[in-house]
Amino acid sequence: MVRTLRVLAWTMGVACVAIGFVHILLGNAAMPGTADAGPTVGSFGRFMGAVFAGYGAAWIQAARRTPVPARTVRWLAAVLLLGGLARVLSIAVDGWPHGFQVVLMAIELGLAPVYLLLADADERAQARA
């Protein structure tokens, strides 16, 4: 479980940093269905790309620590879960988005509980050793 936590945290971090920089570099073109959304959405998307890259950096920092800090993992997983729930709210208010966004929502809602279950695996293993 410790290795799984560390690999998932590291993978999440690298993926989020990469996705964040793609959004910074490509703007609206980075998101399916928003290529013609205009400069306001482009500005917001690039800003959120920077925030997402920072979120990924926090995952990388957590994955590099020994033990992987459970409190940090729980907070980061809670942010991921909140993002997935925000997408659910968006569906309820605005309707269904592009299918790719639905896939992302499923990943967010499915992966957050996994992180919450694994959050203290490394700390528990260190305590036993």
Side-chain angles (χ1 to χ4, degrees):
M1 289 180 51
V2 173
R3 179 145 171 79
T4 301
L5 171 62
R6 195 170 296 279
V7 167
L8 281 175
W10 180 257
T11 302
M12 175 69 95
V14 171
C16 290
V17 168
I19 292 165
F21 276 100
V22 166
H23 280 268
I24 291 168
L25 295 173
L26 299 181
N28 291 343
M31 234 183 338
T34 64
D36 298 325
T40 301
V41 173
S43 175
F44 179 75
R46 284 187 164 98
F47 172 81
M48 293 310 295
V51 171
F52 204 60
Y55 175 73
W59 274 108
I60 291 170
Q61 185 216 23
R64 293 180 58 167
R65 293 186 51 201
T66 301
V68 175
R71 182 180 173 134
T72 302
V73 171
R74 286 187 186 107
W75 272 102
L76 293 170
V79 170
L80 183 66
L81 182 59
L82 182 60
L85 293 173
R87 290 186 197 268
V88 172
L89 176 61
S90 183
I91 290 170
V93 172
D94 300 318
W96 288 93
H98 188 279
F100 184 69
Q101 303 299 321
V102 176
V103 170
L104 292 175
M105 178 183 65
I107 291 169
E108 293 153 1
L109 294 174
L111 198 52
V114 172
Y115 282 117
L116 291 170
L117 288 172
L118 293 174
D120 65 349
D122 202 4
E123 288 180 356
R124 281 187 286 122
Q126 292 281 327
R128 282 190 297 255

